[in-house]
Amino acid sequence: MNHNHHHDGGSFRTFAENEFGYVGMCEGCRTINVAFQNSLFCLTLDQIGAFTKLIADRLTMRPFCTTHGKKLILATPVPNYFLLFSEADLANLCSLLTEAAPILEAERILELSRLN
Ligand SMILES: [Zn+2]
């Protein structure tokens, strides 16, 4: 997804934030931004539900056994690039997504009603 335009404060709405990241929407292109640690996931309103389920239910994650505690591995579309999560990471990311979920669902319904 091409998303190079600037996000100035006026065009970005924050739905949830904590010390690890935030969830919000770019008003310009209505892309949902899930920023967590140094990752940025850019999703549509239709994709965010599946993404939240993927993280909450740990779908497609596999055990990754090292002595370092980052015990779950998630493949990305980029070859040779993976995301690792500890239990604490997942809890912190889920907390952001759960907090934002009702607002995102309301936005999705609003968007559907605009199209009809
Ligand atoms: Zn945008």
PDB file of all heavy atoms in Angstrom, residues 3 5 7 26 29, ligand 1:
ATOM      1  N   HIS A   3       1.772   4.774   0.920  1.00  0.00           N
ATOM      2  CA  HIS A   3       1.300   5.640   1.991  1.00  0.00           C
ATOM      3  C   HIS A   3       2.390   6.615   2.383  1.00  0.00           C
ATOM      4  O   HIS A   3       2.836   6.663   3.521  1.00  0.00           O
ATOM      5  CB  HIS A   3       0.865   4.801   3.184  1.00  0.00           C
ATOM      6  CG  HIS A   3      -0.079   5.530   4.075  1.00  0.00           C
ATOM      7  ND1 HIS A   3       0.225   5.855   5.357  1.00  0.00           N
ATOM      8  CD2 HIS A   3      -1.303   6.028   3.839  1.00  0.00           C
ATOM      9  CE1 HIS A   3      -0.793   6.506   5.879  1.00  0.00           C
ATOM     10  NE2 HIS A   3      -1.721   6.635   4.989  1.00  0.00           N
ATOM     11  N   HIS A   5       2.305  10.050   1.916  1.00  0.00           N
ATOM     12  CA  HIS A   5       1.963  11.429   2.227  1.00  0.00           C
ATOM     13  C   HIS A   5       2.130  11.716   3.723  1.00  0.00           C
ATOM     14  O   HIS A   5       2.090  10.817   4.552  1.00  0.00           O
ATOM     15  CB  HIS A   5       0.555  11.768   1.752  1.00  0.00           C
ATOM     16  CG  HIS A   5      -0.505  10.906   2.346  1.00  0.00           C
ATOM     17  ND1 HIS A   5      -0.883   9.723   1.792  1.00  0.00           N
ATOM     18  CD2 HIS A   5      -1.236  11.045   3.463  1.00  0.00           C
ATOM     19  CE1 HIS A   5      -1.818   9.170   2.538  1.00  0.00           C
ATOM     20  NE2 HIS A   5      -2.048   9.944   3.562  1.00  0.00           N
ATOM     21  N   HIS A   7       1.450  12.849   7.486  1.00  0.00           N
ATOM     22  CA  HIS A   7       0.348  12.834   8.438  1.00  0.00           C
ATOM     23  C   HIS A   7       0.527  13.993   9.399  1.00  0.00           C
ATOM     24  O   HIS A   7       1.191  13.872  10.415  1.00  0.00           O
ATOM     25  CB  HIS A   7       0.327  11.514   9.212  1.00  0.00           C
ATOM     26  CG  HIS A   7      -0.156  10.381   8.369  1.00  0.00           C
ATOM     27  ND1 HIS A   7       0.201   9.092   8.591  1.00  0.00           N
ATOM     28  CD2 HIS A   7      -0.975  10.371   7.309  1.00  0.00           C
ATOM     29  CE1 HIS A   7      -0.382   8.322   7.690  1.00  0.00           C
ATOM     30  NE2 HIS A   7      -1.088   9.073   6.907  1.00  0.00           N
ATOM     31  N   CYS A  26      -5.819   7.976   9.229  1.00  0.00           N
ATOM     32  CA  CYS A  26      -5.472   9.116   8.392  1.00  0.00           C
ATOM     33  C   CYS A  26      -6.747   9.577   7.694  1.00  0.00           C
ATOM     34  O   CYS A  26      -7.362   8.803   6.957  1.00  0.00           O
ATOM     35  CB  CYS A  26      -4.418   8.708   7.373  1.00  0.00           C
ATOM     36  SG  CYS A  26      -4.120   9.985   6.143  1.00  0.00           S
ATOM     37  N   CYS A  29      -6.727   9.529   3.544  1.00  0.00           N
ATOM     38  CA  CYS A  29      -6.955   8.325   2.734  1.00  0.00           C
ATOM     39  C   CYS A  29      -7.731   7.267   3.497  1.00  0.00           C
ATOM     40  O   CYS A  29      -7.951   6.180   2.993  1.00  0.00           O
ATOM     41  CB  CYS A  29      -5.619   7.760   2.265  1.00  0.00           C
ATOM     42  SG  CYS A  29      -4.544   7.258   3.620  1.00  0.00           S
TER      43      CYS A  29
HETATM   44 ZN    ZN B   1      -3.073   8.662   4.645  1.00  0.00          ZN
END
